[in-house]
Amino acid sequence: MSAGPQLRDRPLGWKLAAIVVPVGALGLLLVSAAYFGYEWATARRALREETGALASVVAANTAAAVSFSDLDNAQNTLDNLAAVPSVSLACLYGRVLEGAERLLASYPAAAMKSCPAQVPETSEGAGDAAEVVREVAVRGEAIGHLLLRRDLSGLRERITLQSLLGAGAFAAVMALLAVTLIVSLQRAIIEPVLQLARKAGQIRTSRNYNLRADKQAEDEIGALVDAFNAMLDEIQAAQRQLVESEKMASLGALVAGVAHEVNTPMGIAVTAASHLADELAQLRERHAAGSLTRAEFDRFVEHCAETVTLVQTHLARGVEIISGFKQVAVDQSADYLREFDLGAYARDVAQSLSPRFKRSPYQLEVLTPGPVPVRSQPGAISQVVSNLVMNALTHAFEGRTQGRVMLHVHSQGEEAWLDVADDGRGIPESDQPRIFEPFFTTRRGQGGSGLGLHIVYNLVTQTLRGRIDVESTPGRGTRFLVRFPRYLKDGARG
């Protein structure tokens, strides 16, 4: 992996440290170099001035010895330079009679060969040395010269040590400032971003889009929080639209179910009534012709009784179907709490879905061991049952010639349970963690929108204030278990 992606994937705190620390180190290096250069130049200049002053004093002290060519006195004077450890060389030149200047004495005494044969015309610092030349004069007349050289290596060591100590102190201050800066940036930038990330993770885990991120400042991060919350508002609005769309789709399926279910009893009733009308017409003809017998009349009366019973039975069945479908339709188009028997209501919802199963080789079975009184939102329950049952019909039996969906309604204490199971092909383990995510579907391009189970999850967790679990084994079917409070209060609606 290249260094770019490694830095890119690091935490923000690490990135800030990676920026602040090298910049601080570079600043420390530059400041230390500048400090060392300034201290060295200043100390060297001061030492050269001090060397010049020392050379002037020594030149004045050797004037008498040079004037009288007293070499012993001249050497003794130079030997006194031993009190100044940094003096590495001193050369005393003087005139003998009217001749040119020659070397009279040196310090150290054994360093005569180190002295130039002639007095240098100028004096300069060479490397780690400060070198000066001063006149030896009597009454303003030059009678000789003194060359004095001082070693600067000790000065360099001292300046280096001072620089290191200063750099160390500066480094400590820079480190403290860097830590302070990183902590400040952590609080000002990283922590709000982490809080936003934690809030996004909480929303993703709970799928509760009513949550909002807290805005702490009117800066760029505050703008990011505003955009994040605005996105949640749009998601909630989209959810409401999707729920309404699902309601309309369910109502459309309900209308089809009503038409199909009512068609049979109404058709039988109409057929029976038509047959009775034909029988009555024949009876009138025989009566008008005077050929009607007592036995024929008795037979007609008995047939009329049977036909009326048949018509009443099927008309009552039609009324029962229409009444049940009417209540489901009202519940699906409204949003309110009411008390009802969950078992009977689930049967009505399943009845509205039965035409889809009659046109397929699959079966829908409803098991309600006894009454399950609840006070809840029937519209949400209708959508949950419809979506789970139709999800099984759509996905569970692909490639199979038979199958069964079981809807089991019962209660456990203060909870109502809706158990929808099938004996189909199951859900792959890799897909199970994602089945409640919006727009996740295994039938993309085949009529699957990926919204059915997402809407079910929101209805169960937010509207019904319950929870939904899924159990599935590939090849052995899937089970959705919905559990929610049997009695909701008015303030508990989603």
Side-chain angles (χ1 to χ4, degrees):
M1 184 180 294
S2 63
Q6 286 181 342
L7 179 60
R8 179 193 61 199
D9 298 334
R10 293 284 189 175
L12 287 177
W14 192 96
K15 292 178 181 177
L16 286 175
I19 294 173
V20 171
V21 171
V23 171
L26 180 60
L28 174 62
L29 180 62
L30 294 176
V31 170
S32 298
Y35 175 78
F36 178 80
Y38 173 77
E39 286 295 315
W40 172 251
T42 301
R44 183 167 181 168
R45 183 170 59 253
L47 188 60
R48 286 181 61 84
E49 294 175 355
E50 182 183 338
T51 302
L54 178 61
S56 297
V57 171
V58 174
N61 290 337
T62 60
V66 173
S67 177
F68 294 102
S69 299
D70 187 353
L71 300 183
D72 290 338
N73 189 21
Q75 185 63 50
N76 290 336
T77 302
L78 294 184
D79 288 342
N80 290 331
L81 292 173
V84 184
S86 60
V87 175
S88 59
L89 181 66
C91 302
L92 182 62
Y93 300 88
R95 292 190 181 93
V96 178
L97 299 176
E98 296 299 327
E101 292 184 5
R102 66 180 181 85
L103 183 64
L104 301 179
S106 67
Y107 171 81
M112 294 289 286
K113 293 183 178 180
S114 299
C115 294
Q118 301 295 327
V119 180
E121 295 182 359
T122 59
S123 60
E124 297 180 356
D128 288 341
E131 187 177 280
V132 296
V133 176
R134 291 292 183 268
E135 287 184 348
V136 179
V138 176
R139 297 186 186 93
E141 180 182 354
I143 60 173
H145 290 84
L146 174 68
L147 170 65
L148 185 66
R149 181 184 299 167
R150 294 184 69 178
D151 187 5
L152 302 183
S153 59
L155 176 65
R156 182 183 295 275
E157 293 175 0
R158 178 169 60 84
I159 296 301
T160 302
L161 179 60
Q162 291 178 350
S163 298
L164 291 177
L165 292 176
F170 186 74
V173 174
M174 286 294 295
L176 180 60
L177 290 176
V179 171
T180 303
L181 178 60
I182 291 174
V183 171
S184 299
L185 291 175
Q186 177 86 18
R187 292 176 179 175
I189 300 177
I190 301 177
E191 186 58 31
V193 173
L194 291 178
Q195 289 181 2
L196 184 60
R198 286 193 291 267
K199 183 66 69 174
Q202 182 182 358
I203 293 172
R204 182 180 181 277
T205 302
S206 64
R207 294 184 175 88
N208 182 5
Y209 296 99
N210 291 318
L211 298 176
R212 292 294 182 271
D214 297 327
K215 184 178 180 180
Q216 300 179 358
E218 295 291 342
D219 55 5
E220 289 81 356
I221 297 179
L224 178 62
V225 171
D226 286 338
F228 179 78
N229 290 335
M231 179 186 67
L232 292 177
D233 292 337
E234 293 178 1
I235 291 176
Q236 280 196 304
Q239 280 186 332
R240 287 192 290 269
Q241 292 178 357
L242 291 173
V243 170
E244 292 302 319
S245 298
E246 286 293 320
K247 285 184 179 180
M248 294 301 102
S250 298
L251 287 175
L254 185 64
V255 171
V258 170
H260 184 277
E261 290 299 313
V262 172
N263 183 64
T264 299
M266 291 298 103
I268 294 175
V270 170
T271 301
S274 299
H275 181 68
L276 183 60
D278 292 340
E279 291 289 331
L280 180 60
Q282 292 179 9
L283 181 67
R284 284 176 175 175
E285 290 178 0
R286 289 198 180 106
H287 181 267
S291 59
L292 180 63
T293 64
R294 176 85 180 182
E296 289 176 341
F297 182 77
D298 291 341
R299 214 170 32 251
F300 174 75
V301 171
E302 182 179 355
H303 183 66
C304 282
E306 293 176 353
T307 303
V308 169
T309 300
L310 182 65
V311 170
Q312 288 179 333
T313 299
H314 285 84
L315 286 179
R317 174 58 181 160
V319 171
E320 178 184 353
I321 292 173
I322 292 175
S323 177
F325 280 122
K326 178 181 178 182
Q327 185 59 63
V328 173
V330 170
D331 290 335
Q332 288 191 358
S333 60
D335 182 16
Y336 62 94
L337 293 173
R338 71 177 178 89
E339 294 185 4
F340 56 97
D341 177 11
L342 181 61
Y345 188 75
R347 284 188 175 276
D348 288 340
V349 176
Q351 186 69 33
S352 71
L353 303 174
S354 61
R356 298 288 297 273
F357 283 84
K358 289 180 180 179
R359 295 194 296 270
S360 73
Y362 314 118
Q363 297 178 348
L364 173 60
E365 298 180 6
V366 182
L367 178 61
T368 55
V372 182
V374 298
R375 185 175 189 272
S376 189
Q377 292 201 33
I381 294 174
S382 172
Q383 280 193 270
V384 168
V385 172
S386 298
N387 283 8
L388 289 179
V389 171
M390 294 310 299
N391 181 75
L393 180 63
T394 303
H395 297 280
F397 308 118
E398 185 176 1
R400 299 195 175 198
T401 58
Q402 61 181 5
R404 183 176 60 168
V405 179
M406 289 75 69
L407 171 60
H408 184 198
V409 182
H410 57 108
S411 63
Q412 292 286 339
E414 295 300 317
E415 285 188 332
W417 286 26
L418 289 172
D419 195 341
V420 180
D422 64 72
D423 57 358
R425 60 195 183 109
I427 303 173
E429 292 184 5
S430 59
D431 292 342
Q432 291 182 24
R434 303 182 58 197
I435 59 174
F436 295 120
E437 293 181 3
F439 304 109
F440 175 76
T441 178
T442 58
R443 295 176 60 86
R444 185 74 62 192
Q446 303 178 37
S449 66
L451 295 174
L453 291 181
H454 175 64
I455 292 176
V456 166
Y457 183 90
N458 288 334
L459 289 173
V460 171
T461 58
Q462 298 181 31
T463 304
L464 300 179
R465 293 293 185 263
R467 61 189 187 277
I468 179 171
D469 298 304
V470 59
E471 300 174 0
S472 183
T473 302
R476 300 182 60 182
T478 301
R479 177 194 182 197
F480 288 93
L481 179 58
V482 177
R483 290 172 280 191
F484 57 92
R486 291 175 57 191
Y487 296 97
L488 283 179
K489 297 180 180 180
D490 289 334
R493 286 177 290 179

Coordinates of all heavy atoms in Angstrom, one line a residue, residues 338-382:
R338 N -57.5 2.2 17.5 CA -58.8 1.7 17.9 C -58.6 0.3 18.5 O -57.5 -0.4 18.3 CB -59.7 1.6 16.7 CG -59.4 0.6 15.6 CD -60.5 0.7 14.6 NE -60.2 -0.3 13.5 CZ -60.7 -1.5 13.4 NH1 -61.4 -2.0 14.5 NH2 -60.4 -2.3 12.4
E339 N -59.6 -0.2 19.2 CA -59.5 -1.5 19.8 C -60.2 -2.5 18.8 O -61.2 -2.3 18.2 CB -60.3 -1.5 21.1 CG -59.6 -0.7 22.2 CD -60.3 -0.8 23.5 OE1 -61.2 -1.6 23.6 OE2 -59.9 -0.1 24.5
F340 N -59.5 -3.7 18.6 CA -60.1 -4.7 17.7 C -59.4 -6.0 18.1 O -58.4 -6.1 18.8 CB -59.8 -4.3 16.3 CG -58.3 -4.1 15.9 CD1 -57.5 -5.1 15.4 CD2 -57.8 -2.8 16.2 CE1 -56.2 -4.9 15.1 CE2 -56.4 -2.6 15.9 CZ -55.6 -3.6 15.4
D341 N -60.0 -7.1 17.5 CA -59.4 -8.4 17.6 C -58.3 -8.6 16.6 O -58.7 -8.7 15.4 CB -60.5 -9.5 17.5 CG -60.0 -10.9 17.7 OD1 -58.8 -11.1 18.0 OD2 -60.7 -11.8 17.4
L342 N -57.1 -8.8 17.0 CA -56.0 -8.9 16.0 C -56.1 -10.1 15.2 O -55.8 -10.1 14.0 CB -54.7 -8.9 16.8 CG -53.4 -9.0 15.9 CD1 -53.3 -7.8 15.0 CD2 -52.1 -9.1 16.8
G343 N -56.6 -11.2 15.8 CA -56.7 -12.5 15.0 C -57.8 -12.3 13.9 O -57.5 -12.7 12.7
A344 N -58.9 -11.8 14.2 CA -60.0 -11.6 13.2 C -59.5 -10.6 12.1 O -59.8 -10.8 10.9 CB -61.3 -11.2 13.8
Y345 N -58.9 -9.6 12.6 CA -58.4 -8.6 11.6 C -57.3 -9.1 10.7 O -57.3 -8.9 9.5 CB -57.8 -7.4 12.4 CG -57.5 -6.2 11.5 CD1 -58.5 -5.4 11.0 CD2 -56.2 -5.9 11.2 CE1 -58.2 -4.3 10.2 CE2 -55.9 -4.8 10.4 CZ -56.9 -4.0 9.9 OH -56.6 -2.9 9.1
A346 N -56.4 -9.9 11.2 CA -55.4 -10.6 10.4 C -56.1 -11.5 9.3 O -55.6 -11.6 8.2 CB -54.4 -11.3 11.2
R347 N -57.1 -12.2 9.7 CA -57.8 -13.0 8.7 C -58.4 -12.2 7.6 O -58.4 -12.6 6.4 CB -58.9 -13.8 9.4 CG -58.4 -15.0 10.2 CD -59.6 -15.8 10.8 NE -59.1 -17.0 11.4 CZ -58.7 -18.1 10.8 NH1 -58.9 -18.2 9.5 NH2 -58.3 -19.2 11.5
D348 N -59.0 -11.0 8.0 CA -59.6 -10.1 6.9 C -58.5 -9.6 6.0 O -58.7 -9.6 4.7 CB -60.2 -8.9 7.6 CG -61.5 -9.3 8.2 OD1 -62.1 -10.3 7.9 OD2 -62.0 -8.5 9.1
V349 N -57.3 -9.3 6.5 CA -56.2 -8.8 5.7 C -55.7 -10.0 4.8 O -55.5 -9.8 3.6 CB -55.0 -8.3 6.5 CG1 -53.9 -8.0 5.6 CG2 -55.5 -7.1 7.3
A350 N -55.6 -11.2 5.4 CA -55.2 -12.4 4.6 C -56.2 -12.7 3.5 O -55.9 -13.1 2.4 CB -55.0 -13.5 5.5
Q351 N -57.5 -12.5 3.8 CA -58.6 -12.7 2.8 C -58.4 -11.8 1.6 O -58.6 -12.2 0.5 CB -59.9 -12.5 3.5 CG -61.1 -12.9 2.6 CD -61.2 -14.4 2.4 OE1 -60.8 -15.2 3.2 NE2 -61.6 -14.8 1.2
S352 N -58.0 -10.6 1.9 CA -57.8 -9.6 0.7 C -56.6 -10.1 -0.1 O -56.5 -9.6 -1.3 CB -57.6 -8.2 1.3 OG -56.3 -8.1 1.9
L353 N -55.7 -10.9 0.4 CA -54.6 -11.3 -0.4 C -54.8 -12.7 -1.0 O -54.0 -13.1 -1.8 CB -53.3 -11.4 0.5 CG -52.9 -10.1 1.3 CD1 -51.8 -10.4 2.2 CD2 -52.5 -9.0 0.3
S354 N -55.9 -13.3 -0.7 CA -56.1 -14.7 -1.1 C -56.2 -14.8 -2.7 O -55.8 -15.9 -3.2 CB -57.4 -15.3 -0.5 OG -58.5 -14.5 -0.8
P355 N -56.7 -13.8 -3.4 CA -56.8 -14.0 -4.9 C -55.4 -14.2 -5.5 O -55.2 -14.9 -6.4 CB -57.4 -12.7 -5.3 CG -58.2 -12.2 -4.2 CD -57.5 -12.6 -3.0
R356 N -54.4 -13.5 -4.9 CA -53.0 -13.7 -5.4 C -52.5 -15.1 -5.3 O -51.8 -15.6 -6.1 CB -52.1 -12.7 -4.7 CG -52.4 -11.3 -4.9 CD -52.1 -10.8 -6.3 NE -50.6 -10.9 -6.6 CZ -49.7 -10.0 -6.3 NH1 -50.1 -8.9 -5.8 NH2 -48.5 -10.2 -6.6
F357 N -52.9 -15.8 -4.2 CA -52.5 -17.2 -4.0 C -53.4 -18.1 -4.8 O -52.9 -19.2 -5.2 CB -52.7 -17.5 -2.5 CG -51.5 -17.0 -1.6 CD1 -51.6 -15.7 -1.1 CD2 -50.4 -17.8 -1.3 CE1 -50.5 -15.2 -0.4 CE2 -49.4 -17.3 -0.6 CZ -49.5 -16.0 -0.1
K358 N -54.6 -17.8 -5.1 CA -55.5 -18.7 -5.9 C -55.0 -18.7 -7.3 O -55.2 -19.7 -8.0 CB -56.9 -18.2 -5.8 CG -57.6 -18.4 -4.5 CD -59.0 -17.9 -4.5 CE -59.7 -18.1 -3.1 NZ -61.1 -17.6 -3.1
R359 N -54.3 -17.7 -7.7 CA -53.7 -17.7 -9.1 C -52.3 -18.3 -9.1 O -51.6 -18.2 -10.1 CB -53.7 -16.3 -9.7 CG -55.0 -15.7 -9.9 CD -54.9 -14.4 -10.7 NE -54.2 -13.4 -10.1 CZ -54.7 -12.4 -9.3 NH1 -56.0 -12.4 -9.0 NH2 -53.9 -11.5 -8.8
S360 N -51.9 -18.9 -8.0 CA -50.6 -19.5 -7.9 C -50.7 -20.9 -7.3 O -51.7 -21.3 -6.7 CB -49.6 -18.7 -7.0 OG -50.0 -18.8 -5.7
P361 N -49.6 -21.7 -7.4 CA -49.6 -23.1 -6.8 C -49.3 -23.1 -5.3 O -49.1 -24.1 -4.7 CB -48.6 -23.8 -7.6 CG -47.6 -22.8 -8.0 CD -48.4 -21.5 -8.2
Y362 N -49.3 -21.9 -4.7 CA -48.9 -21.8 -3.3 C -50.1 -21.5 -2.4 O -51.1 -21.0 -2.8 CB -47.8 -20.6 -3.1 CG -46.8 -20.7 -4.2 CD1 -46.6 -19.6 -5.1 CD2 -46.0 -21.8 -4.3 CE1 -45.6 -19.7 -6.1 CE2 -45.0 -21.9 -5.3 CZ -44.8 -20.8 -6.2 OH -43.9 -20.9 -7.2
Q363 N -49.9 -21.8 -1.1 CA -51.0 -21.7 -0.1 C -50.7 -20.7 0.9 O -49.6 -20.5 1.3 CB -51.3 -23.1 0.5 CG -51.7 -24.2 -0.5 CD -51.9 -25.5 0.2 OE1 -51.5 -25.7 1.4 NE2 -52.4 -26.5 -0.4
L364 N -51.8 -20.1 1.4 CA -51.7 -19.1 2.5 C -52.6 -19.7 3.7 O -53.8 -19.9 3.5 CB -52.2 -17.7 2.1 CG -52.3 -16.7 3.3 CD1 -51.0 -16.5 4.0 CD2 -52.9 -15.4 2.8
E365 N -52.0 -19.9 4.8 CA -52.7 -20.5 6.0 C -52.7 -19.5 7.1 O -51.6 -18.9 7.4 CB -52.1 -21.8 6.4 CG -52.2 -22.9 5.4 CD -51.6 -24.2 5.8 OE1 -51.2 -24.3 7.0 OE2 -51.5 -25.1 5.0
V366 N -53.8 -19.3 7.8 CA -53.9 -18.4 8.9 C -54.3 -19.1 10.1 O -55.3 -19.9 10.1 CB -54.9 -17.2 8.6 CG1 -55.0 -16.3 9.8 CG2 -54.6 -16.5 7.3
L367 N -53.5 -19.0 11.2 CA -53.7 -19.7 12.5 C -53.9 -18.7 13.6 O -53.1 -17.9 13.9 CB -52.6 -20.6 12.8 CG -52.7 -21.4 14.1 CD1 -53.9 -22.3 14.1 CD2 -51.4 -22.1 14.4
T368 N -55.2 -18.6 14.1 CA -55.5 -17.7 15.2 C -56.1 -18.6 16.4 O -57.3 -18.8 16.3 CB -56.4 -16.6 14.8 OG1 -57.6 -17.2 14.2 CG2 -55.8 -15.7 13.8
P369 N -55.3 -19.0 17.3 CA -55.8 -19.9 18.4 C -57.0 -19.3 19.2 O -57.8 -20.0 19.7 CB -54.6 -20.2 19.3 CG -53.4 -19.9 18.4 CD -53.9 -18.8 17.5
G370 N -57.0 -18.0 19.3 CA -58.1 -17.4 20.1 C -58.1 -15.9 19.9 O -57.2 -15.4 19.2
P371 N -59.0 -15.2 20.5 CA -59.1 -13.7 20.4 C -57.8 -13.1 20.9 O -57.3 -13.5 22.0 CB -60.3 -13.3 21.2 CG -61.1 -14.6 21.3 CD -60.1 -15.7 21.3
V372 N -57.3 -12.1 20.2 CA -56.2 -11.3 20.7 C -56.6 -9.8 20.7 O -56.4 -9.1 19.7 CB -54.9 -11.5 19.8 CG1 -53.7 -10.7 20.3 CG2 -54.6 -13.0 19.7
P373 N -57.2 -9.4 21.7 CA -57.7 -8.0 21.8 C -56.5 -7.0 21.9 O -55.6 -7.3 22.7 CB -58.5 -7.9 23.0 CG -58.1 -9.0 23.9 CD -57.6 -10.1 23.0
V374 N -56.5 -6.0 21.0 CA -55.4 -5.0 21.0 C -56.0 -3.6 20.9 O -57.2 -3.5 20.4 CB -54.4 -5.3 19.9 CG1 -53.7 -6.6 20.1 CG2 -55.1 -5.1 18.5
R375 N -55.2 -2.6 21.3 CA -55.5 -1.2 21.0 C -54.3 -0.7 20.3 O -53.3 -0.4 20.9 CB -55.8 -0.4 22.2 CG -56.3 1.0 21.9 CD -56.7 1.7 23.2 NE -57.4 3.0 22.9 CZ -56.7 4.1 22.7 NH1 -55.4 4.2 22.9 NH2 -57.3 5.3 22.5
S376 N -54.4 -0.6 18.9 CA -53.2 -0.2 18.2 C -53.7 0.4 16.9 O -54.8 0.8 16.7 CB -52.4 -1.5 17.9 OG -51.1 -1.2 17.3
Q377 N -52.7 0.6 16.0 CA -53.0 1.2 14.7 C -53.3 0.1 13.6 O -52.3 -0.5 13.1 CB -51.8 2.1 14.2 CG -51.7 3.3 15.1 CD -50.9 4.4 14.4 OE1 -51.0 4.6 13.2 NE2 -50.2 5.2 15.2
P378 N -54.5 -0.2 13.3 CA -54.8 -1.3 12.4 C -54.2 -1.0 11.0 O -53.9 -2.0 10.3 CB -56.3 -1.3 12.3 CG -56.8 0.1 12.8 CD -55.7 0.5 13.8
G379 N -54.1 0.2 10.5 CA -53.6 0.5 9.2 C -52.1 0.0 9.1 O -51.7 -0.6 8.1
A380 N -51.3 0.3 10.1 CA -49.9 -0.1 10.1 C -49.9 -1.7 10.2 O -49.0 -2.3 9.5 CB -49.2 0.5 11.3
I381 N -50.7 -2.3 11.0 CA -50.7 -3.8 11.1 C -51.1 -4.4 9.7 O -50.5 -5.4 9.3 CB -51.7 -4.2 12.2 CG1 -51.1 -3.8 13.5 CG2 -51.9 -5.7 12.1 CD1 -52.1 -4.0 14.7
S382 N -52.1 -3.8 9.1 CA -52.5 -4.3 7.7 C -51.3 -4.2 6.8 O -51.1 -5.2 6.0 CB -53.7 -3.4 7.2 OG -54.0 -3.8 5.9

